[in-house]
Amino acid sequence: MRLLRAMVAVLALTLALAACDSGTSQPSPPPTSGPPMDSVEAFQAFSGLTIPATAEDVTVRVVGTSAGQPEYLVTFSAPSTALDDFAVSGGMQRPLRVITIPESVRERFDYRGDSSTGAAVAEASLPADGSIQRLLLAIGTKTPTSTVRVSAYKMPA
């Protein structure tokens, strides 16, 4: 009987060691739901803004978190004539053309340039969720193509 118990114990130990493997297999990645956080799709779903089809050189960066949600910084170039439609389609007001870029906007985008080629600013919360803030800075509004910067983040409760 002792021999049988010993054999069962050895068999159980062998099976346990086999289950542990020698580290040659890779663990399966966690399941994902939806697009990567730093994708255009994720930004658009979060911010309610749709990047124009005419946009070029689009970059989406997650620059931090706020209230447990990603904080986005998006840049792209687009025809200056598409700027108003971009903002309005996302529930923002038409961007206000400014001569001087407010310091708070400069800080948000770490922008040190001038506004001699035209600048526009818009800010609004997401209509469906007032805690989601969106800020837009467009440079080059007096030229055919503007460089657009958008920040979207969730305000802490």
Side-chain angles (χ1 to χ4, degrees), residues 57-157:
D57 303 319
V58 178
T59 62
V60 177
R61 291 186 12 227
V62 175
V63 294
T65 58
S66 180
Q69 296 291 320
E71 185 172 333
Y72 287 97
L73 178 59
V74 176
T75 59
F76 59 89
S77 298
S80 295
T81 56
L83 186 59
D84 288 352
D85 289 340
F86 167 67
V88 171
S89 71
M92 299 178 82
Q93 76 276 6
R94 292 193 181 323
L96 177 65
R97 276 38 179 194
V98 295
I99 296 170
T100 303
I101 301 168
E103 190 58 34
S104 61
V105 175
R106 287 181 176 280
E107 287 176 14
R108 169 64 65 181
F109 295 107
D110 194 25
Y111 182 74
R112 302 292 168 233
D114 66 23
S115 56
S116 62
T117 60
V121 175
E123 184 172 19
S125 59
L126 180 64
D129 181 350
S131 67
I132 307 270
Q133 299 297 307
R134 293 102 36 91
L135 178 63
L136 175 147
L137 170 63
I139 302 296
T141 57
K142 294 178 183 176
T143 66
T145 302
S146 292
T147 299
V148 181
R149 294 168 175 86
V150 181
S151 172
Y153 58 96
K154 185 171 181 86
M155 295 290 291

Side-chain angles (χ1 to χ4, degrees), residues 22-38:
S22 62
T24 57
S25 65
Q26 296 296 320
S28 57
T32 59
S33 60
M37 194 180 326
D38 60 351

Side-chain angles (χ1 to χ4, degrees), residues 4-29:
L4 183 58
R5 284 186 190 158
M7 288 175 58
V8 169
V10 169
L11 180 60
L13 181 59
T14 303
L15 290 173
L17 290 174
C20 289
D21 201 335
S22 62
T24 57
S25 65
Q26 296 296 320
S28 57

